[in-house]
Amino acid sequence: MNFITTPVKGMSDILPADMKLREHVLRLIRDTYATYGFEEIATPSMEHIENLSGRIGGENEKLIFRVLKRGRELEKGLETGELSDCGMRYDLTVPLARYYSNLKNQLPTPLKALQIGNVWRADKPQKGRFRQFTQCDIDIIGDSSVMAEIELIAATCGMLTRIFGEVGVTDFTVHINDRRILKAMAQGAGFAPEQFDDVFIALDKMDKIGPEGVRESLLKSGCEEAAADSYLAMFDGFVSGESAGDFCGRVCEGELLADVPAQIDLIMNSAAGMTAPGVHLLFDPTLVRGMSYYTGTIFEITIDGYNFSIAGGGRYDEMIGRFSGQQAPACGFSIGFERIVTILKDLDWKDPEAGREKIAYLVDEKAGSEKIMEVFARASRDREEGAVVSVQPLRKNAKFQVESLEKNGYGRVRKVYADTEL
Amino acid sequence: MNFITTPVKGMSDILPADMKLREHVLRLIRDTYATYGFEEIATPSMEHIENLSGRIGGENEKLIFRVLKRGRELEKGLETGELSDCGMRYDLTVPLARYYSNLKNQLPTPLKALQIGNVWRADKPQKGRFRQFTQCDIDIIGDSSVMAEIELIAATCGMLTRIFGEVGVTDFTVHINDRRILKAMAQGAGFAPEQFDDVFIALDKMDKIGPEGVRESLLKSGCEEAAADSYLAMFDGFVSGESAGDFCGRVCEGELLADVPAQIDLIMNSAAGMTAPGVHLLFDPTLVRGMSYYTGTIFEITIDGYNFSIAGGGRYDEMIGRFSGQQAPACGFSIGFERIVTILKDLDWKDPEAGREKIAYLVDEKAGSEKIMEVFARASRDREEGAVVSVQPLRKNAKFQVESLEKNGYGRVRKVYADTEL
């Protein structure tokens, strides 16, 4: 026998203290979204290979862990399709689209769904990248109005305020933009529709490389100088805090956008009334978001002081239709669960349950049956009174045992011998 | 594009109502075991193929879903080992043994672990058998005393009493036996050690086929008639409720068993003092349990009136050593989570959270921005007062929308138009 004690490469064993944090965060996520009428759903970890390869997953489609068919030996000479017809999901969006198409007759409209689960990516192992990690998505399917965006932003900010309040972090920024504004601006600057993807990839780097860098990147991808200059000039006068209505009024042709800027203003004004004072809502015309399936509003939330997003999402009105053949508007958030957990750990999160009384009875091996029964009866009463109680044998190295229990929050550690009065 | 809307064969999409039940049960499981000092851990869903094929998993080793290596195309002519070096876990026991061996220097002794997670089995799809399902294991590693058994039984009965109390079910039976008694009896009857496995397989069917059936089965597997008769005679005088001490005193040679019967009596007497009145603890010399890794006590819990177990386990003192090269005593329970959920559903479980006020605001599309903002401000106040609130557009088929919300527990459903006073 040749057992391997380390986990499979890129995947993690989770220690009790880390699980406590993770479960605590998951409970706050569940409880908060429930208050907003979201209901939890679940999908299997494996998905048909056809669904995983349908161009919804972007770059993640290159990272599929394929699963071999039941009973299929790896005989030489077999084709891929004969060996494997499913793989591990790399996100929760593809399964959600399939789920909704499968069960829509049994689901309410709109469906307000919370989905929490592991996803798997055959990524190159590196710091902060895992091959299995937990994702947490919230989506509203069947609501084409901005009410979906408002509920999603308000609930997500409520959740973040609650979770990070425990480590004293209260300031978040919600960056909001709209794919239609991105497109109208690119069109207004003179780019051709087939150049839009390159333009957005360049714009996405604005906060890192600045306008000069974006210009260079545009020219490198073959855009005309005039278009690049006219595009960058649009962002010139933008000041953080300017409303979508004001900005678009200045830089875009009105008829292209119809009521898009007004919708963003409404989303921001409504959400502002529902979120804590530390939550800042900003229209951000440089926000791009990678996934090509977004059709309207896009958003991203950052913790002030950290320059990466901890939640992001947008409206994707055309994806469900590709599954079910029947269009359904949809809008959703992906929450960076692993990032949130990492930040909380860095900020020295303390278990709020740690205040609970914890008692350990360490029973000497010669204590005898009568005493053991007495200890357990006592433990039972302590538990009824609300304490966490652990009964265990007194080890030879009792000093170390007591210390490690105390470190784990056991405020009362009692050694029990045959003659101990309980 | 060719999307498939049904889930992968043998796996399930879970509807919101079912998730509510599942999450509720998981929360009670977590909360109850926490009170007994158990801490949650987690292991990856994938495991090295060497660990999955190490003869710990019994029949499940035939049901491994193998996963292809990253980036490995299914080129013709490759050997199995070149294509795949890991698979989906089929239980939580193998990963636990690996986990403990990997992290033992960072874990307390004894470790009291709760592990909840999905497992995968490439089983033939049939009613009640799934290819992905949730398991829930609790284990104590590093405690060779009966205190481990007592804590496990008391905590598990506490959990069951709490969960099933919600549907009015209060009566459970804990069946207890010991591998060492099984062996001593087989030896006493005159079977050779290499026959023991066949003997236990036959005995395991006692409750279904009776003593005559067991006798037939023994003879069929090649046992001598004299041994079979002498073996069955041992069970003859057994009356449910007899203590292990009394029974073994009658039928086994004393020196073979040392204090095993006394240990079982102590486990039962201690656990009796900690469990609810509906919990019956019975020594059951016919209890076998399948897994070959058990070394001592074995137990199984049934709900009175249902003739299958909803939790089972035992002591396996030699498994960890096979992983780490360093022996560590261990004892654990596997909880039949899926069965528990199925029974609760059959018994018409009602969400205890259903009493919470649920309000829906259905906003007419012509209500206007001002009114929308007013609705959300109102929703925010309702939520602060503890209600679940959902804001959504008023659909054309409003009657159906209202009805389905009411069915989902929304006691107040308000339609909001431009002139509605909130």
Side-chain angles (χ1 to χ4, degrees):
Chain A
M1 232 82 63
N2 192 8
F3 290 110
I4 301 171
T5 57
T6 50
V8 164
K9 194 156 69 172
M11 304 189 187
S12 309
D13 286 333
I14 304 178
L15 284 165
D18 292 333
M19 273 306 279
K20 216 166 270 171
L21 168 56
R22 295 172 76 88
E23 274 306 313
H24 178 75
V25 171
L26 288 176
R27 207 172 269 213
L28 294 185
I29 290 174
R30 290 189 165 106
D31 288 350
T32 309
Y33 285 113
T35 301
Y36 287 77
F38 286 87
E39 300 190 289
E40 196 165 347
I41 65 160
T43 60
S45 306
M46 292 182 199
E47 193 53 70
H48 303 285
I49 210 77
E50 291 88 339
N51 296 351
L52 295 175
S53 320
R55 291 163 169 266
I56 291 173
E59 289 297 301
N60 295 330
E61 297 196 359
K62 295 178 188 156
L63 305 176
I64 300 169
F65 274 115
R66 292 190 76 126
V67 178
L68 284 175
K69 280 188 191 175
R70 166 189 151 81
R72 214 18 135 190
E73 279 312 301
L74 288 160
E75 297 156 34
K76 291 184 183 182
L78 285 173
E79 300 290 337
T80 305
E82 294 174 281
L83 280 173
S84 162
D85 53 9
C86 74
M88 306 305 292
R89 62 184 180 198
Y90 46 72
D91 71 10
L92 300 177
T93 306
V94 169
L96 174 71
R98 188 195 51 66
Y99 176 95
Y100 185 80
S101 308
N102 182 33
L103 298 174
K104 59 178 180 295
N105 295 331
Q106 298 172 64
L107 296 169
T109 303
L111 172 68
K112 301 172 83 170
L114 165 66
Q115 190 182 180
I116 297 170
N118 285 323
V119 301
W120 292 264
R121 293 183 190 169
D123 228 326
K124 270 188 208 145
Q126 50 182 297
K127 200 176 149 22
R129 290 246 179 174
F130 295 99
R131 290 183 166 189
Q132 172 180 324
F133 56 94
T134 301
Q135 278 204 338
C136 177
D137 278 18
I138 51 161
D139 293 272
I140 299 180
I141 302 181
D143 180 352
S144 60
S145 81
V146 293
M147 286 183 244
E149 277 88 342
I150 297 166
E151 287 275 77
L152 285 165
I153 291 171
T156 303
C157 290
M159 178 271 294
L160 292 173
T161 299
R162 199 165 156 193
I163 290 173
F164 281 95
E166 293 183 352
V167 289
V169 171
T170 52
D171 290 287
F172 305 94
T173 299
V174 185
H175 307 261
I176 305 178
N177 197 7
D178 195 296
R179 279 266 165 180
R180 291 165 293 182
I181 295 177
L182 283 173
K183 282 183 188 165
M185 288 174 69
Q187 189 174 333
F191 294 111
E194 59 273 19
Q195 292 179 305
F196 286 4
D197 277 344
D198 287 335
V199 172
F200 300 155
I201 289 169
L203 178 63
D204 202 16
K205 294 178 276 188
M206 180 73 98
D207 57 337
K208 290 200 185 87
I209 59 177
E212 261 316 301
V214 173
R215 189 172 182 277
E216 243 171 74
S217 176
L218 285 171
L219 299 184
K220 213 179 258 172
S221 69
C223 296
E224 278 181 35
E225 226 170 315
D229 287 336
S230 126
Y231 190 55
L232 284 165
M234 292 178 173
F235 296 95
D236 252 358
F238 176 72
V239 185
S240 178
E242 188 173 15
S243 78
D246 290 349
F247 177 80
C248 294
R250 283 197 292 118
V251 307
C252 306
E253 295 296 327
E255 60 269 39
L256 269 177
L257 284 171
D259 59 349
V260 172
Q263 282 180 8
I264 295 185
D265 291 347
L266 176 56
I267 292 168
M268 287 174 53
N269 292 333
S270 297
M274 303 170 79
T275 48
V279 175
H280 318 287
L281 296 130
L282 288 179
F283 166 65
D284 179 354
T286 69
L287 180 69
V288 172
R289 300 230 13 109
M291 305 311 284
S292 61
Y293 50 69
Y294 291 121
T295 56
T297 332
I298 46 180
F299 26 69
E300 217 164 83
I301 305 182
T302 51
I303 304 184
D304 294 6
Y306 288 78
N307 58 4
F308 50 74
S309 77
I310 49 168
R315 181 167 279 283
Y316 53 101
D317 282 348
E318 281 155 25
M319 191 201 296
I320 308 284
R322 287 166 65 186
F323 265 87
S324 65
Q326 206 180 317
Q327 290 295 343
C331 192
F333 253 112
S334 245
I335 296 156
F337 176 75
E338 302 289 349
R339 275 189 181 170
I340 288 175
V341 165
T342 305
I343 296 170
L344 290 169
K345 228 177 128 173
D346 285 350
L347 293 174
D348 208 20
W349 176 85
K350 293 271 179 289
D351 182 9
E353 281 276 295
R356 197 169 167 190
E357 187 174 28
K358 291 175 88 173
I359 306 168
Y361 294 103
L362 311 184
V363 186
D364 181 56
E365 61 177 333
K366 294 196 204 80
S369 302
E370 291 297 316
K371 188 54 72 179
I372 287 180
M373 286 176 60
E374 205 187 316
V375 168
F376 279 108
R378 174 61 192 264
S380 227
R381 287 199 302 278
D382 293 336
R383 284 172 185 137
E384 273 161 30
E385 285 165 14
V388 169
V389 187
S390 187
V391 181
Q392 38 185 267
L394 181 64
R395 293 172 60 200
K396 291 211 176 93
N397 189 344
K399 187 161 171 276
F400 179 73
Q401 186 180 15
V402 171
E403 277 171 9
S404 81
L405 282 163
E406 284 173 350
K407 215 178 126 195
N408 198 4
Y410 284 85
R412 281 179 59 196
V413 181
R414 289 200 62 184
K415 297 178 193 169
V416 181
Y417 301 93
D419 59 353
T420 303
E421 297 269 346
L422 285 170
Chain B
M1 232 83 61
N2 192 8
F3 290 110
I4 301 170
T5 57
T6 50
V8 164
K9 194 156 70 171
M11 304 189 186
S12 310
D13 285 333
I14 303 179
L15 284 165
D18 291 333
M19 273 307 279
K20 216 166 269 171
L21 168 56
R22 295 171 76 87
E23 273 306 313
H24 178 75
V25 172
L26 288 177
R27 208 172 269 214
L28 293 185
I29 290 174
R30 289 190 165 105
D31 287 349
T32 309
Y33 285 112
T35 301
Y36 288 76
F38 287 87
E39 301 190 289
E40 196 164 349
I41 65 160
T43 60
S45 305
M46 293 183 198
E47 194 52 70
H48 303 285
I49 211 76
E50 291 88 339
N51 296 352
L52 295 174
S53 319
R55 290 164 169 267
I56 291 172
E59 290 297 300
N60 296 329
E61 298 196 359
K62 295 178 189 155
L63 305 176
I64 300 169
F65 274 115
R66 292 189 76 126
V67 177
L68 284 176
K69 281 187 191 176
R70 164 188 153 80
R72 220 5 142 195
E73 279 310 303
L74 287 161
E75 297 156 34
K76 290 185 184 183
L78 285 174
E79 300 291 337
T80 305
E82 294 174 282
L83 280 173
S84 161
D85 53 8
C86 75
M88 306 305 292
R89 62 183 180 199
Y90 46 71
D91 72 9
L92 300 177
T93 306
V94 169
L96 174 71
R98 188 195 50 67
Y99 176 94
Y100 185 79
S101 308
N102 182 33
L103 299 174
K104 59 177 179 296
N105 296 330
Q106 299 172 65
L107 296 169
T109 304
L111 172 68
K112 301 173 83 171
L114 164 67
Q115 190 182 180
I116 297 169
N118 285 322
V119 301
W120 292 264
R121 293 183 189 169
D123 228 326
K124 270 189 208 145
Q126 50 181 294
K127 198 175 151 24
R129 289 246 179 176
F130 296 98
R131 290 183 167 188
Q132 172 180 322
F133 56 95
T134 300
Q135 279 204 337
C136 177
D137 279 19
I138 51 161
D139 293 271
I140 299 181
I141 303 181
D143 181 351
S144 60
S145 81
V146 293
M147 285 182 244
E149 278 87 342
I150 298 166
E151 287 276 78
L152 285 166
I153 291 171
T156 303
C157 290
M159 178 272 293
L160 292 173
T161 299
R162 198 166 157 192
I163 290 173
F164 281 96
E166 293 183 351
V167 289
V169 171
T170 52
D171 290 287
F172 305 94
T173 299
V174 186
H175 307 261
I176 304 178
N177 198 7
D178 195 296
R179 280 264 165 180
R180 290 165 295 181
I181 295 177
L182 283 172
K183 283 183 187 165
M185 288 175 70
Q187 190 175 334
F191 295 112
E194 59 273 19
Q195 293 180 305
F196 286 5
D197 277 344
D198 286 335
V199 172
F200 300 156
I201 289 170
L203 178 63
D204 201 16
K205 294 178 276 188
M206 180 73 97
D207 58 336
K208 291 199 183 87
I209 59 178
E212 262 315 301
V214 173
R215 189 172 182 278
E216 243 171 75
S217 177
L218 285 171
L219 300 183
K220 212 179 259 172
S221 69
C223 297
E224 279 181 33
E225 226 171 317
D229 287 335
S230 127
Y231 190 56
L232 284 164
M234 292 177 173
F235 296 95
D236 253 358
F238 176 72
V239 185
S240 179
E242 189 174 14
S243 78
D246 290 349
F247 177 80
C248 293
R250 281 197 294 116
V251 308
C252 304
E253 295 297 326
E255 60 268 39
L256 269 176
L257 284 171
D259 59 348
V260 171
Q263 282 180 8
I264 295 186
D265 291 348
L266 176 56
I267 291 168
M268 287 175 54
N269 292 333
S270 296
M274 302 170 79
T275 48
V279 175
H280 318 288
L281 295 130
L282 289 179
F283 166 65
D284 180 353
T286 68
L287 179 69
V288 172
R289 302 237 2 116
M291 304 311 283
S292 61
Y293 50 68
Y294 291 122
T295 56
T297 331
I298 46 180
F299 25 70
E300 217 164 83
I301 305 182
T302 51
I303 304 185
D304 294 7
Y306 288 78
N307 59 2
F308 49 75
S309 77
I310 48 168
R315 181 167 281 282
Y316 53 102
D317 282 347
E318 282 155 24
M319 190 201 295
I320 307 284
R322 286 166 66 186
F323 264 87
S324 64
Q326 206 180 318
Q327 290 295 343
C331 191
F333 253 112
S334 246
I335 296 157
F337 176 76
E338 302 289 348
R339 275 189 181 170
I340 288 175
V341 164
T342 305
I343 297 171
L344 289 170
K345 227 178 129 175
D346 285 350
L347 292 173
D348 208 20
W349 176 84
K350 295 269 179 294
D351 183 7
E353 282 276 295
R356 197 170 168 189
E357 187 174 26
K358 290 174 88 174
I359 306 169
Y361 293 103
L362 311 184
V363 186
D364 181 58
E365 61 178 333
K366 295 197 203 79
S369 302
E370 291 295 317
K371 189 52 74 179
I372 287 180
M373 286 175 60
E374 204 187 318
V375 169
F376 278 108
R378 175 61 192 262
S380 225
R381 287 198 303 277
D382 294 336
R383 285 175 184 136
E384 273 161 31
E385 285 164 16
V388 169
V389 186
S390 188
V391 181
Q392 36 185 269
L394 181 65
R395 292 171 59 198
K396 292 212 175 95
N397 189 344
K399 188 161 170 278
F400 179 74
Q401 185 180 17
V402 171
E403 277 171 8
S404 81
L405 282 165
E406 283 172 350
K407 215 177 125 195
N408 198 3
Y410 283 86
R412 281 179 59 197
V413 181
R414 288 200 65 183
K415 298 179 194 170
V416 181
Y417 302 92
D419 59 353
T420 303
E421 297 270 345
L422 285 170

